[in-house]
């Protein structure tokens, strides 16, 4: 074999022994070869700066691609063009972030396990809440009950409970997860009772003149039941009464305790009326009615007296009184010499008739029910 061919054969064997391939192996001298599979024995220009023929030294504008500062990755690989961090920002894996800083697991942030990566700490379980006397395993969660009653969203109701603003049967509840039976407990938020029993009905009826304040009338006159929906499944009754010719607000409910307290004299629930009487009215009538007028069943006084309007021959007066005696407003004005021409009750406790049309019945809102129950300490 000629010497030239023998030398070429030795170089080829050395190249194969050290793995020179199209992926950029190393020559017998240990230096990186060209990464594009150039012919064996080709000059190794640019091998240390990217290695690939025509790539390691080629310029585009004033930048050199394949150099280390442009993220060429491994020398001679010809791969990876992402930005590489400077040496001062590198850190060995598993070492603290800064000098003197403890490892994450040493600081108690993560728990050590056989799995790779950090883990969130376990959420502590809620303490058992079945120690309350009113706790019902088959009941409704307290925060859900409040949200359904229209107090607020469920998340806000949870905050109210943890802040100690909610009481059940007079006992403050600060723990989540309490279950109650809505029909057997009294729930209050900031001292105001929340109506949670769906079977209790509260309505406002704007009674027209000529309607009898009863559910049935043997004489066939118009009564309250004529204005109720026939589809109502709950039986209701009226709170107090208005005489046939008196118009205005009349409450309807099936809550017997509320009806009893609204009509009981000890709770002194105020009622406001608009009274039309003949005019003009002499000065001092309002002061005399506030001081008290003696009637056949005792002295009766009004809480407030206000002149609303005056037209030729008529005067409109607004009076507030807490007495529940029969025909008390008509008897008071008769006693001072001004017989009533028209009488309309516009307010009872915190409930107002507002713009409700005559002869209509509406359900009270959750807020109105709460204020109504609070007015009689329920």
């Amino acid at each position: 074999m000629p010497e030239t061919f023998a030398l070429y054969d030795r170089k080829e064997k050395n190249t194969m022994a050290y793995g020179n391939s199209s992926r950029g192996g190393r020559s017998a001298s240990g230096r990186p070869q060209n990464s594009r599979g150039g012919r064996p024995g080709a000059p190794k220009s640019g091998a240390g700066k990217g290695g690939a023929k025509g790539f390691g030294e080629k310029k585009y504008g004033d930048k050199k691609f394949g150099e280390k500062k442009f993220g060429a990755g491994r020398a001679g690989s010809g791969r990876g063009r992402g930005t590489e961090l400077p040496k001062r920002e590198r850190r060995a894996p598993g070492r603290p972030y800064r000098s003197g800083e403890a490892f994450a697991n040493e600081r108690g942030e993560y728990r050590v396990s056989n799995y790779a990566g950090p883990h969130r700490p376990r959420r502590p379980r809620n303490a058992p809440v079945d120690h309350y006397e009113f706790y019902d395993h088959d009941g409704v969660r307290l925060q859900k009950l409040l949200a359904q009653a229209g107090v607020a969203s469920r998340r806000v109701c949870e905050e109210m409970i943890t802040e100690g603003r909610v009481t059940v049967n007079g006992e403050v509840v600060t723990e989540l997860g309490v279950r109650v039976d809505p029909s057997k407990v009294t729930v209050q938020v900031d001292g105001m009772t929340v109506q949670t029993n769906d079977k209790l009905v509260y309505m406002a009826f704007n009674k027209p003149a000529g309607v009898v304040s009863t559910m049935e009338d043997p004489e066939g006159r118009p009564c309250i039941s004529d204005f109720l929906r026939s589809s109502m499944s709950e039986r209701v009754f009226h709170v107090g009464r208005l005489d046939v010719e008196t118009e205005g607000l009349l409450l309807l409910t099936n809550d017997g305790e509320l009806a009893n307290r609204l009509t009981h004299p000890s709770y002194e629930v105020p009622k406001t009326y608009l009274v039309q009487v003949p005019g003009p009215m002499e000065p001092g009538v309002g002061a005399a009615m506030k001081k008290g007028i003696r009637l056949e069943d005792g002295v009766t006084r009004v809480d407030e007296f206000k002149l609303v309007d005056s037209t030729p021959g008529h005067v409109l007066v607004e009076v507030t009184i807490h007495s529940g005696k029969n025909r008390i407003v008509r008897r008071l004005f008769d006693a001072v010499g001004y017989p009533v021409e028209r009488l309309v009750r516009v307010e009872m406790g915190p409930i107002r008739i507002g713009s409700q049309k005559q002869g209509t019945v509406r359900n009270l809102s959750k807020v109105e029910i709460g204020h109504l129950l609070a007015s009689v300490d329920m």
Side-chain angles (χ1 to χ4, degrees), residues 140 145-146 148-149 180-187 193-202 234 253-256 366 369 373:
V140 184
L145 186 65
L146 294 175
Q148 291 176 344
V180 297
D181 185 352
S183 61
K184 298 180 180 179
V185 296
T186 301
V187 182
T193 302
V194 179
Q195 180 53 46
T196 57
N197 191 349
D198 296 335
K199 295 182 179 180
L200 296 179
V201 180
Y202 304 88
E234 300 294 338
T253 184
N254 58 355
D255 189 343
K366 298 293 185 180
I369 296 173
L373 295 175

Side-chain angles (χ1 to χ4, degrees), residues 288-359:
M289 297 183 73
K290 285 183 179 181
K291 186 177 180 180
I293 304 296
R294 181 172 294 278
L295 302 176
E296 61 272 13
D297 52 357
V299 177
T300 304
R301 60 180 60 86
V302 299
D303 301 328
E304 295 181 10
F305 183 97
K306 181 171 64 175
L307 184 64
V308 177
D309 193 12
S310 178
T311 58
H314 303 282
V315 175
L316 187 62
V317 179
E318 181 183 273
V319 295
T320 301
I321 187 171
H322 62 267
S323 175
K325 296 178 180 180
N326 186 32
R327 300 175 60 88
I328 186 62
V329 177
R330 293 182 182 274
R331 289 192 291 147
L332 278 174
F333 279 88
D334 287 340
V336 296
Y338 293 91
V340 174
E341 297 177 341
R342 186 181 180 187
L343 182 62
V344 181
R345 183 158 73 184
V346 295
E347 186 174 350
M348 183 174 182
I351 310 301
R352 295 186 61 88
I353 198 67
S355 59
Q356 182 177 349
K357 295 182 179 181
Q358 277 197 353

